[in-house]
Amino acid sequence: MIRLVLFVLSLSAVAMTQAEQTRKPNIVFVLADDLGWSELGCYGNNFHETPHLDRLAKEGMRFTNAYAAAPVCSPYRAALLTGQHPARIGILDYLRPNSSNALPTDQVTLPEVLSKSGYSTGMVGKWHLTGYRYHEAEFEVTPRDHGFAWDIGREVKGVGNGANFWPYVFRDQDIRWLDLPENRLGENEYLTDRLNLEAVDFVERNKDKPFFLYLSHYAPHTILNGRPDLVEKYRNKHAPGKCTRDNCYICKDAGLAGDANHHWAGSHNPHLAAMLESIDQGVGLLTEKLQELGLAENTIFIFTSDNGGETNVTSNAPLRGGKSQIYEGGIRVPLIVRWPGRVQEDSVCKQPTANYDFYPTLLTAADVSPEPTQKLDGVSTLPTWKDPNVAPDREAIFWHYPLDQPHFLGGVSAGAIRSENWKLIEKFDDPTESRFELYNLTADESETHNLASDEPDRVLRLQQKLQSWRSEVGAKVPSAPLLVSPRNLYFGDHFSEGQVSSRWFFQKEWAAEGGVLRRNEHAGENKRIFVKDPIYRDSMIRFDFRFDGATDIRLVTGSSGHYNAVVHIRPDHFYIQTAMDDRGPYFSRRHGECAFDFESATWHTMTVEFLDDELIAHIDHQHIVYAKHPILDQERTYLAFQVDRPQAAFDNVQIFKAAKNRKWATNLATIQQVVGRYPVEKTLKQQYDIQKTNAHDILYQSDEDYRALVKRVDELKEKEKREYLDVFGSVKDFRKKIDELRKKLHAEDAGYKETLFATFRSARAIESFLISKDSGFDTLPASRRPAQLERLRLEHQKDAEYQRLVIAQKVAQHELEFGYPQLFVSNEEIVERKKLRRAAAKGDPAFRKLIEETAAAWRAQQEYLHTHDPLIGDLKNRLELVKE
């Protein structure tokens, strides 16, 4: 009997061993926020105490050249979950609280792929891949929208406020900044402890199947605020360094002056040490739970940081710089990987890796195939995990970090490449050769010796690789603002699937598909798409565009129903047009022209800045057009894009509120030097027409005598219209009278109203028929319905039922037009009637006298214009010589 029991037990043990061997590995990914490369004990720090992380490194592999995809938060997180470089995704900086650039839901994320392969997926803590409804973002995308079956501890508003204790309310704000409905650790619950508890509970709940746990800490992001007992421990261990700020709101709220509690100590910061120890304790709890459940041997445990440490509260020495900078201190991060039996114990890997490598590496480790549609920039580093001497299979690692203005922590707009041991940095806002910095990281880990001038050939080769990579992934370098400093986002749309703003007024010629706004294939010229009810003044507007066969793209802005400024973009140049506005009154004027070769199939970025009565539009700081005009100095309530023909595309449309740039005067002087540097060739006639238009507006504003001549012409034209409206009234005037009659009939004539509604019903019947032919129509977003309806019309126009409905519509329309012909006069008919009435009026002496008087006044105005603007006079003379 005993032998039988032992035999059964042995069979059970074998079965359990086989089950463990076939079960996919669990994955625990712990991410610290702003933890520098040199903060852990196992990386040489002798002030911070991280025994559990140090043990993790002893049991696994410690990486010394692990890189973040960007020197700030959101791009790292996007790259981690998608396996793509942030430049390909379009998340290049940390997302502001009202950002419109949430991680697109059509990205196939790592947790989505793992979920489909039987993994339980859970996230604890910081997300930061969306704007927040609390801050009026139109869309808020959550971890559960990206494959996490469960999450907790996610922020619901801006982060980094130091409110790390229950109830997690920042000062006098009205809500908790986290989605934690109650505390679990008592009234003094500490955030990092709570997140650790939730992570351990997730492991316990999901022990019977493979799981992916993403524990994303908010610590040690500033404002640093550690647990008091641990803070006191480190304060006693070593005196805090000098504070980098004179005040801290946490101390102020406690009635203390300055930074009495050392939240901003520049070295030996007790809060940083305390927060890191809290993270370390959580690592200990997780490893203990994995051991207790018998899961440790089959769990991949990863610990790392999203970017370098903030230099206000720490040093990343021996590395240069820190968070926000693409020096090593900003992008090189600690990384520890433990996977018993697969990753060498107590090993050190010097091979460069990037955080977008985790996606393919973990899928390979789990024997899970990636989604074929998901383009991956990362490579599997599993061979490197197994042997630290094996380099990942790639040529280089790239960074792309364009900024409109320097980061408050010191970062500048730049890109970089690391190839083998060489690193090139290219500063985007520096047009000179000094924009390049070259370092040999083997000999100069601290990046103190710029070798760019010594190695020009190497600089050229690396810069060419960097430029080629930017082209491949669609990395753009927007022209930084010059007149304004952007403030809060007012409106934005990146046209991601399911996240197209409801503020667009879509018509059949426009649709948001495939992540872009496109002027589609439906016929029509000069079609506009409007933003509903915009209200903005000083601002920066930025958008990406691609011609794709179109020849005229316009950004149209205006006020009170009038457009007052248009940025015209043609394939070979761009310019600004201000419009006629009788409230000024102002006349149309053309401002500046700049030649630029816009390749049809290439994305370009236009930056447009409004400041008081000034406007500039620029592709870069060499290609700029500038306007200064009183019509610009008003609140804008109109915004549209206009395209002359199908296929033009737009992306990343953003309007930022703005204030005057602190370098405005200097930048304006630079603008005035640059404007006109790239002239556009024109015929004499074109030059004459443009100058005549501009001079008319300029003289009217500045010359009282000319203004009197223009007013005299206007008075006589008004008299013509008043006394002979049928002859001199414009088509618009006649249309206005017809509209007034239509409104009157609608209010007073029941027969007209019923006949009109019959046309509406017939149109709806056609629409209902077409929709019935597409079972998926009702599931389409509003941004695609008008275009799809037009496609259905074209597809079914020969259908017998469709033709029957069209005939019914024509009958209804005929009855309306037959019964009320006065409402359906064409423009051509109006013009023809005017001609007939003019011919009839020629016999009237008063009529002839009036038109002669008007003609004389107009000639006087024209003569004054030509004699008081030398350029017009010269162009006119040259034109006459050409004619002769």
Side-chain angles (χ1 to χ4, degrees), residues 244-270:
T244 59
R245 292 194 180 184
D246 295 331
N247 59 71
C248 174
Y249 92 85
I250 298 175
C251 295
K252 182 178 181 180
D253 289 353
L256 303 172
D259 183 25
N261 284 332
H262 308 103
H263 295 273
W264 293 98
S267 64
H268 295 95
N269 190 301

Side-chain angles (χ1 to χ4, degrees), residues 135 153 255 294 344 542 599 652 669 673:
H135 294 282
Q344 291 184 24
R542 179 175 284 156
E599 296 181 19
N652 302 316
Q673 291 175 0

Side-chain angles (χ1 to χ4, degrees), residues 568-582:
H568 293 256
I569 312 172
R570 306 284 171 79
D572 61 349
H573 71 283
F574 63 105
Y575 64 94
I576 295 169
Q577 185 93 28
T578 51
M580 182 172 181
D581 187 340
D582 55 11

Side-chain angles (χ1 to χ4, degrees), residues 396 398 415-419 422-428 430 432-433 435-438 452 455-471 477:
F398 303 90
I417 174 176
R418 174 170 177 170
S419 180
W422 290 93
K423 179 180 175 186
L424 179 74
I425 297 173
E426 179 182 6
K427 296 179 179 177
F428 296 143
D430 186 347
T432 69
E433 288 302 315
R435 72 183 185 275
F436 295 114
E437 296 180 20
L438 178 69
E455 297 262 5
D457 292 341
R458 192 183 301 276
V459 169
L460 179 60
R461 289 196 303 273
L462 290 174
Q463 199 276 332
Q464 288 174 339
K465 287 183 181 179
L466 184 56
Q467 180 59 45
S468 177
W469 171 80
R470 284 201 289 259
S471 297
V477 185

Side-chain angles (χ1 to χ4, degrees), residues 660-704:
K660 180 180 284 190
N661 192 305
R662 58 187 177 86
K663 295 182 179 180
W664 169 81
T666 302
N667 290 345
L668 185 58
T670 302
I671 290 168
Q672 290 169 343
Q673 291 175 0
V674 171
V675 165
R677 182 174 292 177
Y678 301 99
V680 179
E681 290 188 10
K682 288 189 169 51
T683 65
L684 278 176
K685 180 65 166 59
Q686 288 172 329
Q687 294 177 54
Y688 171 77
D689 290 342
I690 292 171
Q691 185 60 25
K692 185 178 177 183
T693 298
N694 290 354
H696 179 54
D697 181 50
I698 294 168
L699 283 175
Y700 187 86
Q701 292 184 55
S702 61
D703 188 319
E704 290 184 9

Side-chain angles (χ1 to χ4, degrees), residues 42-111:
C42 56
Y43 279 80
N45 193 293
N46 56 16
F47 176 60
H48 301 151
E49 298 179 17
T50 55
H52 299 293
L53 285 164
D54 298 345
R55 179 183 173 189
L56 197 72
K58 277 283 186 184
E59 296 173 350
M61 185 177 289
R62 180 171 62 87
F63 290 73
T64 59
N65 283 274
Y67 285 104
V72 288
C73 170
S74 301
Y76 177 101
R77 294 160 197 273
L80 168 68
L81 294 180
T82 64
Q84 295 185 348
H85 195 282
R88 192 184 296 278
I89 307 165
I91 297 178
L92 300 174
D93 198 3
Y94 71 93
L95 299 186
R96 275 55 173 183
N98 73 333
S99 174
S100 59
N101 197 20
L103 183 65
T105 53
D106 56 359
Q107 287 278 356
V108 185
T109 60
L110 178 60

